[in-house]
Amino acid sequence: MMNFREELTIGLVQQHNTASLEANRRRSEAGIRDCVARGAQVVALSELHGSLYFCQTEDVRQFELAEPVPGPSTQFFGALAAELQVVLVCSLFERRAAGLYHNTAVVFDRDGRIAGKYRKMHIPDDPAFYEKFYFTPGDLGYTPVPTSAGNIGVLVCWDQWFPEAARLMAMNGADLLLYPTAIGWDMTEPADERRRQLDAWHTIQRAHAIANGIPVAAINRVGMEAAPAETDGSGIHFWGGSFVCGQQGEMLAEAPTDAEQNIVVTVDLARTETVRRIWPFFRDRRADSYAALTQKFGK
Amino acid sequence: MMNFREELTIGLVQQHNTASLEANRRRSEAGIRDCVARGAQVVALSELHGSLYFCQTEDVRQFELAEPVPGPSTQFFGALAAELQVVLVCSLFERRAAGLYHNTAVVFDRDGRIAGKYRKMHIPDDPAFYEKFYFTPGDLGYTPVPTSAGNIGVLVCWDQWFPEAARLMAMNGADLLLYPTAIGWDMTEPADERRRQLDAWHTIQRAHAIANGIPVAAINRVGMEAAPAETDGSGIHFWGGSFVCGQQGEMLAEAPTDAEQNIVVTVDLARTETVRRIWPFFRDRRADSYAALTQKFGK
């Protein structure tokens, strides 16, 4: 058994967003400062935390929200990371070129420099989540970002439903998985369906921790965002429920479904070695039999 | 939305085993008859239900338990399936040739004929679970068995920790996943560790249901089996906890951790279509980015 600990303290800013970009940024900053004051070495924000969740409609004017990387947002958050000496995980609408946009997470090291970025690989498209209109699927693959706080395996929202993404990030050396997220309920659906959805969301991510023997953190936005006037949608109640679980999928902390909260949790990265020794899934993967995973389906 | 139902009633025989092969078989038969009397159309037994779990030690004499397929066990259970007109999933120690053995599940259709078999692909090897000594890893891949009750995606025990196996079985058309299992606690481990292990076992399998939008059933053995005298092991307390969950991973029924029980549960296979429409993971899998899954690791 390993007898040392390698502690990492993670802060998650579960935030409610408004139409004011300036207010959203101030709210993010306050959350980051709070997490750092409470000892966080890595702080993560929710998906597209700079604005309302604009994908409730397909509207070309929303592309005005996009910005380059590096750009104004990375300048602001990079400076904040440097000031606070914290590893920071942000999410933004990346303008890569005219007509080419991504849903991108940017990781800053504690010196404020961009340590790396991840472009969301799996793009959803459902009523009120029209992301395929806005985001080209990522082309950077599943590469953890090396930082002074470890290799951060950043994946984004819809990615969390795909065990393949978690596995590849772990195989590429992630010390933990971290999912900026924007997921919520259509409140016109019945309560039992809403409960199943939230539970499934926790369950499948906890399973990524188990399958790969690494901690998982997910940071979701929270609260109601009304549907744009031109749509017939009923809006989205983002369900919060941000959490951190350990290497066996055990819940370490969980935020409420109906309120902002910053959660600060310490995980023991050295426990990955212990857990993978008793559950040696990487030893036994039948990689020789997985070729068909590169197909869309079996027929 | 789909507005028809396609109900399938599943019976699971959570059984305690003894040194008497004859008593074990009688116990299995009684469990099968009970499940059928309660309406089960498919009944499944636990892993290697014919004997004690002999892999607690490496002992060449244990190969005497192996038998060919078809052979005496398949004759017995095939006749029972035909008599009861039920689809039956059994598990046995298959002797394929001298020096070549597998951990094999056999599926009988309701006419008693062997509908297909599955040879356990992922073989564990841990203290008290010395399976690599006995079983050659399977070479039949992840092919569901077509029966009059649907395409049964049979996987066995250790397979349940590998999302790849569940995914491939689903991609090959499984209507449900079914895991004969023999998993338990080393009671010298602390209670919190035992609780995490059981919870992780449920969680990762529920996640296979969620990721693939199909029901999952696991049938485990239950109760204490002492370590063989020649070992220094502490025996295994098989933890039961057999369960059936629906397409969103929601628990439909769960057996106790300390007693035999037959559980009979109806799932709605038509709901797979509904759930996969709201959670279209197969639409969005980035199969183009999964090639590295066929590697052992990323370095």
Side-chain angles (χ1 to χ4, degrees):
Chain A
M1 303 285 276
M2 309 290 290
N3 53 12
F4 62 88
R5 291 175 64 84
E6 191 184 333
E7 294 190 339
L8 178 69
T9 301
I10 302 167
L12 305 178
V13 180
Q14 178 170 296
Q15 177 176 332
H16 175 62
N17 281 19
T18 69
S20 164
L21 304 186
E22 179 54 30
N24 296 332
R25 181 178 283 187
R26 279 200 308 271
R27 215 181 281 237
S28 295
E29 179 182 349
I32 293 165
R33 289 185 184 277
D34 176 55
C35 289
V36 172
R38 291 159 60 194
Q41 300 159 286
V42 177
V43 178
L45 301 177
S46 57
E47 186 183 15
L48 303 170
H49 49 79
S51 66
L52 289 172
Y53 181 72
F54 51 87
C55 312
Q56 289 200 55
T57 182
E58 299 192 359
D59 179 348
V60 290
R61 291 171 302 180
Q62 302 290 351
F63 286 100
E64 295 299 324
L65 289 167
E67 53 177 309
V69 176
S73 282
T74 66
Q75 191 164 23
F76 175 83
F77 286 106
L80 190 60
E83 179 202 329
L84 300 174
Q85 298 185 58
V86 69
V87 173
L88 197 54
V89 181
C90 295
S91 163
L92 52 79
F93 186 12
E94 179 188 5
R95 181 188 183 282
R96 186 175 179 181
L100 181 57
Y101 302 81
H102 295 284
N103 184 327
T104 300
V106 179
V107 181
F108 304 91
D109 212 333
R110 56 207 302 270
D111 60 5
R113 284 184 299 191
I114 293 177
K117 65 185 173 188
Y118 168 79
R119 292 185 177 130
K120 186 173 182 176
M121 292 288 285
H122 299 87
I123 306 295
D125 201 276
D126 302 290
F129 294 85
Y130 299 106
E131 294 200 16
K132 289 192 195 294
F133 176 73
Y134 294 104
F135 310 125
T136 293
D139 60 346
L140 297 177
Y142 310 92
T143 307
V145 177
T147 75
S148 57
N151 292 323
I152 315 284
V154 184
L155 293 161
V156 176
C157 202
W158 193 236
D159 291 324
Q160 58 212 166
W161 301 96
F162 299 84
E164 294 91 342
R167 178 71 94 199
L168 288 164
M169 206 51 105
M171 287 172 60
N172 287 330
D175 293 315
L176 77 159
L177 300 180
L178 205 159
Y179 292 90
T181 304
I183 193 169
W185 290 305
D186 174 347
M187 297 301 284
T188 64
E189 294 202 277
D192 64 333
E193 171 64 18
R194 300 200 308 268
R195 194 171 49 244
R196 279 195 300 273
Q197 291 179 2
L198 173 61
D199 193 31
W201 181 72
H202 282 142
T203 299
I204 199 162
Q205 292 180 88
R206 292 173 56 212
H208 301 330
I210 299 163
N212 298 293
I214 50 178
V216 170
I219 169 62
N220 190 19
R221 59 171 69 198
V222 72
M224 190 67 193
E225 296 187 21
E230 74 274 16
T231 74
D232 59 357
S234 45
I236 304 173
H237 179 99
F238 292 97
W239 68 44
S242 304
F243 71 93
V244 179
C245 72
Q247 286 91 339
Q248 292 174 302
E250 74 280 13
M251 276 289 198
L252 299 175
E254 185 180 340
T257 58
D258 56 0
E260 292 193 314
Q261 191 173 96
N262 308 321
I263 60 180
V264 177
V265 186
T266 299
V267 296
D268 179 7
L269 296 181
R271 196 162 156 265
T272 292
E273 181 87 28
T274 319
V275 169
R276 286 188 182 173
R277 287 182 189 183
I278 64 162
W279 285 346
F281 308 137
F282 286 104
R283 181 192 68 188
D284 291 337
R285 287 179 72 247
R286 289 290 307 275
D288 62 298
S289 70
Y290 297 161
L293 290 171
T294 61
Q295 304 298 311
K296 271 290 182 194
F297 209 70
K299 64 179 177 185
Chain B
M1 302 286 277
M2 308 290 288
N3 52 11
F4 62 89
R5 293 174 64 84
E6 190 183 333
E7 295 191 339
L8 178 69
T9 301
I10 302 167
L12 304 178
V13 180
Q14 179 170 297
Q15 177 177 331
H16 175 61
N17 280 20
T18 70
S20 165
L21 305 187
E22 180 54 31
N24 295 334
R25 182 177 284 187
R26 278 199 309 271
R27 216 179 281 238
S28 295
E29 179 182 348
I32 294 164
R33 289 186 183 277
D34 176 55
C35 289
V36 172
R38 291 159 60 194
Q41 299 158 286
V42 177
V43 178
L45 302 177
S46 57
E47 185 184 14
L48 303 169
H49 50 78
S51 67
L52 289 172
Y53 181 72
F54 51 87
C55 311
Q56 289 201 55
T57 182
E58 299 192 1
D59 179 349
V60 289
R61 291 172 302 182
Q62 301 291 349
F63 286 99
E64 294 300 325
L65 288 167
E67 54 177 307
V69 176
S73 283
T74 65
Q75 192 164 24
F76 175 82
F77 287 105
L80 190 60
E83 179 202 330
L84 300 174
Q85 297 185 60
V86 68
V87 173
L88 196 54
V89 181
C90 295
S91 163
L92 52 79
F93 186 11
E94 179 189 5
R95 181 188 183 281
R96 185 174 179 181
L100 182 57
Y101 302 81
H102 295 284
N103 185 326
T104 300
V106 180
V107 181
F108 304 92
D109 212 331
R110 56 206 305 268
D111 59 6
R113 285 184 297 189
I114 294 176
K117 66 186 173 186
Y118 168 78
R119 291 184 179 131
K120 187 173 180 175
M121 291 290 284
H122 299 87
I123 305 295
D125 200 278
D126 303 290
F129 294 85
Y130 299 106
E131 295 199 17
K132 289 192 195 295
F133 176 73
Y134 294 104
F135 310 125
T136 293
D139 59 346
L140 297 178
Y142 309 93
T143 306
V145 177
T147 74
S148 56
N151 292 324
I152 316 283
V154 184
L155 294 161
V156 177
C157 202
W158 194 236
D159 292 324
Q160 58 214 164
W161 301 96
F162 299 84
E164 293 92 341
R167 177 71 93 200
L168 288 164
M169 205 53 104
M171 286 172 60
N172 287 328
D175 293 314
L176 77 160
L177 300 180
L178 204 159
Y179 292 91
T181 305
I183 193 169
W185 290 305
D186 173 348
M187 297 300 284
T188 66
E189 293 201 277
D192 64 333
E193 171 64 19
R194 300 201 307 269
R195 193 171 50 244
R196 278 195 299 272
Q197 291 179 3
L198 173 61
D199 193 31
W201 181 73
H202 282 142
T203 300
I204 199 162
Q205 292 179 87
R206 292 172 56 210
H208 301 329
I210 297 163
N212 297 294
I214 51 178
V216 170
I219 170 62
N220 190 20
R221 58 171 70 198
V222 72
M224 191 67 194
E225 295 187 22
E230 73 274 16
T231 75
D232 59 358
S234 46
I236 303 172
H237 180 97
F238 291 97
W239 69 42
S242 304
F243 70 94
V244 178
C245 72
Q247 285 91 339
Q248 291 174 303
E250 73 280 15
M251 275 290 197
L252 299 175
E254 186 179 340
T257 59
D258 56 0
E260 293 192 314
Q261 190 173 99
N262 307 321
I263 59 180
V264 177
V265 187
T266 299
V267 296
D268 179 7
L269 296 181
R271 197 162 156 265
T272 291
E273 181 87 27
T274 319
V275 168
R276 286 188 182 172
R277 288 181 189 182
I278 63 162
W279 286 346
F281 307 137
F282 286 104
R283 180 192 66 187
D284 291 338
R285 287 179 72 246
R286 289 290 307 274
D288 62 298
S289 70
Y290 297 160
L293 291 171
T294 62
Q295 304 299 311
K296 271 292 182 192
F297 209 70
K299 64 180 179 184

